[in-house]
Amino acid sequence: MMRSVFCQLILLLLLASAALAAPISGKEPLKVKSDNLTADNEKKTATFEGKVVAHQGELTLYTDRLVVSSDGEGNELSKVEAFGNVRILQGNRQATGGHAVYDPKRGVILLDGNPKVMAGEDVITGKVITYFINEQRSVVTGGPKERVEAVIHPGGKNVGAKP
């Protein structure tokens, strides 16, 4: 019984990881809609503001503001940061929080501001959820006033699902 719950917890973390990693995968075009776009060639940033919806393949990201930064070498992506009411949807997986940062050089996605990842009925929360893309692992940390919490439904819809 304990092994089954442990396996389901690992599966939930993998599903959470997949939900967080999805924005950077795939060769499909990234489509972004917002109320405003401010591009700064000197700082090499593009800031989308107001009811931002970014869509790529099966993944959709909603946020109040999205800042995309590139470095000087070939305009490679250096950072993507979402501020306010962050919601990432893919299939039956959803990640929410107040703030998210994707660092492609380190291969890390960080979700904070009351982060929560849901896969079907299963939920995991903490103070910060960090996904290490290249290592296929997640770390969920708590804080002094909030602990990590996982709600797993044994035998639920997600058992055996691929991340």
Side-chain angles (χ1 to χ4, degrees):
M1 174 68 177
M2 187 62 155
R3 182 178 175 164
S4 174
V5 170
F6 179 74
C7 288
Q8 289 175 346
L9 178 59
I10 295 300
L11 179 62
L12 177 61
L13 286 171
L14 288 173
L15 291 171
S17 299
L20 292 173
I24 52 102
S25 63
K27 296 186 182 208
E28 297 185 39
L30 174 65
K31 299 174 187 175
V32 182
K33 292 184 179 184
S34 66
D35 292 338
N36 299 299
L37 166 62
T38 303
D40 187 328
N41 289 334
E42 188 174 314
K43 292 181 181 176
K44 297 196 181 292
T45 61
T47 303
F48 298 88
E49 293 182 288
K51 297 181 263 181
V52 180
V53 180
H55 184 79
Q56 182 182 34
E58 295 179 14
L59 179 114
T60 305
L61 165 73
Y62 298 91
T63 187
D64 296 335
R65 181 166 53 111
L66 184 68
V67 180
V68 179
S69 303
S70 61
D71 63 18
E73 298 297 316
N75 284 330
E76 288 215 18
L77 191 65
S78 62
K79 181 166 82 170
V80 177
E81 195 162 9
F83 299 89
N85 299 305
V86 178
R87 187 167 49 118
I88 303 167
L89 302 173
Q90 184 183 41
N92 74 335
R93 296 177 296 237
Q94 177 173 225
T96 63
H99 176 248
V101 180
Y102 166 52
D103 181 342
K105 290 181 178 159
R106 292 181 42 224
V108 174
I109 299 170
L110 181 134
L111 185 64
D112 62 6
N114 199 26
K116 179 188 291 188
V117 176
M118 296 149 284
E121 297 176 343
D122 299 337
V123 179
I124 192 161
T125 62
K127 183 172 180 166
V128 177
I129 299 174
T130 306
Y131 177 59
F132 298 89
I133 298 163
N134 300 329
E135 301 167 34
Q136 293 289 305
R137 71 180 176 97
S138 296
V139 175
V140 182
T141 56
K145 295 182 182 176
E146 55 193 308
R147 299 181 68 195
V148 173
E149 182 177 351
V151 177
I152 302 162
H153 297 83
K157 299 176 209 173
N158 298 316
V159 175
K162 291 184 180 179

